[in-house]
């Protein structure tokens, strides 16, 4: 199968490329950009006039709800959502049921994902058995089974000793440790940022120090254990500042932010909108602005969708009883473009936050358009507006604070391994 | 059409009521126009019994359609209704629905010995079997008619095209 | 973003969910209407036919005999039919969701729901899912709001002090967990009270409470100086010892209202409490039963205020 993508604007942040050119694919790989190779006879031509051709997006956190929560969403529905969102590689956190703490489960997930022949799925293994924070998992075995990193999902470590041991053990095998900075006790009863809105609405709060205390523990333990650390979903201005300092001191730490948090704040909760019940909580406007700036300056390396499909029954409840999370795979691209547009950031720089930089954090060969690379490609119309509603979303989760909004930037084609796996309007 | 002076109509009404009145009668005016008129009549007739006022907002039959009146005033019945002879006073008698509501409300204060009705204007158009024992003037009107209080504090009837 | 659903497009009150966002004119309208109902409740026949034929459901997901009873009396004095449901124990434990329950009751042709729930926002949730002809009154949701309590408090203040614009008002006690306090704060600031103080130890004051337009105090003696109105709050049993407070005794010593503490306020200051009182914990008996206490009038006015709210809603 040979594909010729012509007339598009090719943006490949990894190779600092942003120009109008044609792209040639053969045998699942990118064979050339610009001049047509000799003897190239395409089976398929894609006219990308007016569109941007970029590496398939890399999402650092997408819950596919398998195994265990198939009533919420299935691998099929969510993988379809991923490619409809231009995402060709995604990492899934271990908080499935059972958690990804055994090689068999990981192999099964990899196998199921592979058989769908869509996006590449990179499981993140659990650091402790059952994410209980007591006994370590077989991390080395899990890595062999396909885990690219290890995390504790949304379960904060209650025991600092176990946390340190988990990091030491991961460091032994040079495994990357992904952690969410949230103190177990300070966040135990809260459901919203402890601030003006929670006070007004009478919602139990999660203080900013729940993040900063946990973050300082993570950073100190990273120094102590030498583990490679990735901080997931930073949410506060103070958190961004701590990462800035850690990076300045040369600590090997990276960090991501959820696409929801660069656009929304506690104010968006309005009168108890459970679609804004997210983890970590939406914080103040000042925090949101610091996250946007941190992302612009590169203190925050990547943006993830933090895709968490939740069914209506779990959202149509009083705020504190509703389940946290929002659907995201299909909104990642338009929301990053929106951020770029609002912050005056070139599209190429914005795309690096969802292609080359998260690929580097994953430590997987993806997120670029180098010659010889797997042809994982996203082609989108940067000027196309579309309305976010239950019908336009393929994910089984229709819950998002952006429901009803019009966003700019629509994926038209997604290619994985040189095959068109998604085409808009089909 | 030309109406006589409001003052004249009030005096005519008082004159009509006087012979039929005992000293023991209690006057009750319906908010707002009826209450003003009741006050005047109370003075003119030289009664010493306490004067009552009714706001029939809670007894209206059109609540379902138009909701609660934005300016509800408390009703004030400063005497024992049980066994009392009451002269109910309103400005304009039209469909009879207001008077119906007022009678119902009075019965929630007790069981009066009798209720008679005095109005400044009986303009016809009844929808209920209610009639005024005393009326200052009886007309057949198409227009709306309202009792107002002017800057000098005098009562004044005013016609308003429908 | 979800909007406040209590005002309909004609500017009328469709639901009463919170005091927040209601204009002062609306609050005065409710209080004025309540005044007319006070005179009704003093009559021989204490009811009016206003809501004849209406079905009002008392939906109590959290037990509260007192508040439920006052709503029941108010509804009956308006001639409505009242159906009491204590749901805490039945359907919720059988897995029926809040909205299932509400939909079932709507199908029984309810006209109004009076809702009490342990979770903040429950009344908003219900209001945003009921048919347009059904009205919802929040009778207390979690820590969020208890608008009719705040309105009866405002009625009481207006009754004894006539005007709001020269008052100093202090709210004393567990502000953090109190829906009553939140609604009182919104009502007082909306009605133009120039100085609202909240007095509590730091563990019982929510973060950023000053953004609601109040002045926080931690010392009762300083906070009570020269105030005209004292709004005492109930301290829940489960909060009397633990990580919020060491003991009820220590709380009483530092935050309990005694005659000595009350003497620091203006000589004609009034003392209010939403009930039920913890005597000897937040308030000394001699104050609760003393000449400055208006706690019993509050109860009487409470019924008239609830009648006013129900009749304004039913007529919108």
């Amino acid at each position: 199968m040979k594909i010729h993508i012509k007339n598009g604007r090719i943006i490949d942040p990894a190779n600092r490329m942003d120009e109008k050119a044609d792209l040639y694919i053969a045998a699942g790989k990118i064979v050339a950009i610009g001049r047509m190779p000799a003897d190239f006879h395409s089976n398929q031509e894609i006219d990308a006039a007016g569109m941007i051709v970029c590496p398939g997006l890399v999402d650092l956190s997408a819950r596919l709800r398998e195994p265990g929560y198939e009533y919420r969403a299935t691998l099929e529905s969510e993988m379809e959502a991923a490619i409809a969102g231009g995402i060709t590689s995604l990492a899934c956190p271990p908080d499935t049921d059972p958690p990804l703490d055994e090689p068999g489960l990981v192999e099964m997930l990899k196998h199921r994902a592979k058989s769908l022949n869509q996006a590449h799925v990179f499981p993140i293994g659990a650091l402790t058995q059952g994410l209980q924070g007591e006994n370590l998992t077989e991390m080395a075995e899990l890595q062999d089974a396909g885990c690219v990193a290890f995390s504790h999902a949304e379960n904060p470590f209650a025991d600092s000793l176990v946390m340190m041991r988990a990091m030491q053990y991961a460091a032994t095998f040079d495994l990357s440790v992904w952690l969410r900075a949230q103190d177990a006790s300070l966040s135990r009863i809260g459901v919203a940022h402890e601030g003006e809105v929670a006070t007004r609405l009478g919602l139990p709060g999660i203080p900013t120090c729940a993040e900063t205390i946990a973050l300082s523990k993570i950073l100190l333990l990273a120094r102590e254990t030498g583990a490679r650390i990735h901080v997931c979903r930073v949410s506060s201005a103070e958190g961004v500042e701590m990462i800035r300092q850690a990076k300045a001191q040369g600590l090997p730490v990276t960090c991501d932010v959820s696409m929801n948090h660069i656009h929304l704040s506690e104010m968006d909760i309005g009168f108890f909108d459970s679609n804004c019940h997210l983890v970590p909580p939406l914080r103040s406007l000042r925090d949101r602005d610091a996250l946007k700036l941190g992302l612009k300056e590169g203190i925050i390396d990547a943006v993830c969708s933090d895709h968490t499909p939740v069914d209506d029954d779990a959202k149509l409840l009083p705020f504190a009883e509703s389940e946290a999370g929002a659907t995201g795979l299909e909104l990642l691209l338009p929301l990053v473009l929106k951020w770029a547009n609002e912050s005056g950031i070139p599209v190429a720089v914005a795309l690096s936050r969802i292609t080359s930089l998260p690929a580097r954090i994953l430590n997987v060969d993806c997120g670029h358009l180098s010659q010889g690379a797997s042809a994982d490609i996203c082609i989108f119309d940067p000027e196309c507006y579309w309305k976010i509603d239950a019908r336009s979303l393929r994910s089984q989760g229709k819950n998002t604070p952006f429901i009803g909004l019009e966003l700019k930037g629509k994926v038209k084609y997604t290619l994985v391994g040189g095959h068109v796996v998604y085409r808009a309007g089909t | 059409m030309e109406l006589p002076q409001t003052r004249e109509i009030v005096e005519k009404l008082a004159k009509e009521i006087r012979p039929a009145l005992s000293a023991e009668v209690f006057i009750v005016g319906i908010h707002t126009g009826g209450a003003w008129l009741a006050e005047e009549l109370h003075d003119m007739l030289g009664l010493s019994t306490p004067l009552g006022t009714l706001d029939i907002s809670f007894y209206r039959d059109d609540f379902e359609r138009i909701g609660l009146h934005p300016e509800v005033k408390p009703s004030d019945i400063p005497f024992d209704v049980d066994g009392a002879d009451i002269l109910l006073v309103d400005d304009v008698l039209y469909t009879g629905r207001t008077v119906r509501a007022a009678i119902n409300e009075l019965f929630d204060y007790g069981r009066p010995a009798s209720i008679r009705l005095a109005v400044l204007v009986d303009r016809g158009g009844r929808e209920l079997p209610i009639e005024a024992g005393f009326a200052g003037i009886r007309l057949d009107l198409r227009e709306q008619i309202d009792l107002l209080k002017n800057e000098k504090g005098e009562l004044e009837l005013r016609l308003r095209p429908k | 973003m979800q909007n406040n659903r209590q005002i309909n497009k004609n500017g009328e009150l469709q639901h009463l969910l919170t005091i927040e966002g209601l204009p002062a004119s609306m609050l005065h309208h409710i209080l004025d209407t309540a005044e007319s109902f006070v005179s009704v409740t003093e009559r021989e026949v204490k009811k009016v036919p206003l809501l004849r034929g209406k079905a009002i459901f008392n939906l109590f997901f959290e037990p509260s005999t007192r508040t439920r009873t006052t709503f029941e009396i108010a509804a009956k004095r308006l001639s409505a039919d009242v159906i009491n449901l204590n749901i805490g124990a039945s359907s919720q434990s059988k897995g029926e969701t809040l909205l299932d329950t509400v939909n079932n009751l709507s199908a029984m042709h309810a006209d109004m729901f009076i809702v009490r729930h342990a979770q903040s926002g429950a009344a908003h949730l219900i209001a945003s899912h009921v048919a347009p002809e059904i009205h919802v009154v929040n009778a207390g949701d979690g820590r969020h709001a208890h608008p009719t309590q705040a309105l009866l408090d405002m009625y009481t203040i207006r009754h004894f002090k006539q005007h709001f614009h020269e008052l100093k008002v202090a709210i004393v006690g567990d502000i953090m967990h109190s829906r009553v306090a939140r609604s009182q704060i919104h009502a007082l600031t909306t009605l133009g009270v120039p100085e609202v103080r909240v007095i509590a130890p730091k563990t019982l004051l929510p973060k950023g409470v000053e953004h609601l337009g109040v002045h926080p105090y931690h010392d009762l003696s300083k906070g009570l100086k020269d105030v005209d109105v004292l709004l005492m709050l109930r301290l829940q049993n489960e909060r009397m010892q633990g990580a919020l407070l060491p003991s009820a005794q220590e709380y009483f010593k530092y935050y309990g209202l005694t005659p000595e503490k009350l003497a620091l306020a203006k000589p004609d200051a009034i003392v209010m409490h939403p009930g039920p009182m913890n005597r000897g914990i937040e308030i000394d008996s001699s104050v609760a039963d003393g000449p400055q206490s208006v706690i019993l009038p509050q109860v009487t006015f409470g019924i008239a205020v609830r009648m006013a709210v129900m009749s304004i809603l039913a007529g919108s």
Side-chain angles (χ1 to χ4, degrees), chain A residues 188-390:
Chain A
R188 194 175 56 231
I189 55 165
V191 293
H193 171 60
E194 184 175 275
E196 210 178 313
V197 172
T199 292
R200 189 170 58 82
L201 296 179
L203 294 172
I206 303 176
T208 299
C209 65
E211 173 161 299
T212 50
I213 287 173
L215 185 54
S216 68
K217 190 150 113 180
I218 290 169
L219 295 172
L220 289 169
L221 287 175
R223 229 178 283 268
E224 180 71 27
T225 61
R228 277 197 290 133
I229 295 295
H230 174 67
V231 177
C232 305
R233 261 99 55 223
V234 63
S235 72
S236 68
E238 288 78 2
V240 175
E241 184 52 35
M242 288 169 74
I243 294 193
R244 182 196 308 277
Q245 287 172 18
K247 283 188 166 184
Q249 291 161 10
L251 202 68
V253 56
T254 53
C255 134
D256 70 52
V257 66
S258 132
M259 63 181 193
N260 298 309
H261 289 68
I262 52 176
H263 292 292
L264 305 172
S265 75
E266 55 176 348
M267 299 297 172
D268 292 287
I269 294 173
F271 283 92
F272 306 101
D273 183 357
S274 61
N275 279 329
C276 289
H277 184 191
L278 301 174
V279 171
L282 293 170
R283 297 198 185 272
S284 69
L285 284 169
R286 185 183 74 92
D287 291 308
R288 185 201 63 182
D289 292 344
L291 293 172
K292 288 172 100 156
L293 185 65
L295 185 61
K296 182 179 179 177
E297 293 177 341
I299 305 302
I300 298 170
D301 300 85
V303 185
C304 68
S305 73
D306 198 18
H307 178 74
T308 308
V310 175
D311 51 82
D312 282 354
D313 281 354
K315 277 292 183 190
L316 289 177
L317 289 171
F319 192 90
E321 286 180 352
S322 68
E323 198 175 306
T327 195
L329 288 166
E330 293 152 272
L331 305 183
L332 180 61
L333 177 70
L335 287 177
V336 166
L337 293 173
K338 181 175 156 73
W339 161 72
N341 189 28
E342 288 167 0
S343 304
I345 289 160
V347 178
V349 175
L351 289 175
S352 72
R353 301 326 193 229
I354 45 176
T355 57
S356 54
L357 290 167
R360 197 181 301 162
I361 292 164
L362 269 183
N363 199 20
V364 167
D365 182 22
C366 64
H368 60 85
L369 298 177
S370 310
Q371 200 176 338
S374 170
D376 300 345
I377 295 171
C378 167
I379 303 174
F380 67 94
D381 180 347
E383 299 302 324
C384 176
Y385 282 92
W386 60 293
K387 191 171 177 189
I388 314 303
D389 58 32

Side-chain angles (χ1 to χ4, degrees), chain A residues 199-202 271 273 320, chain C residues 2 20 119-120 144 182 207:
Chain A
T199 292
R200 189 170 58 82
L201 296 179
F271 283 92
D273 183 357
Chain C
Q2 220 152 328
E20 187 188 354
Q119 288 292 344
S120 302
H144 171 237
R182 283 179 176 78
K207 186 170 174 177

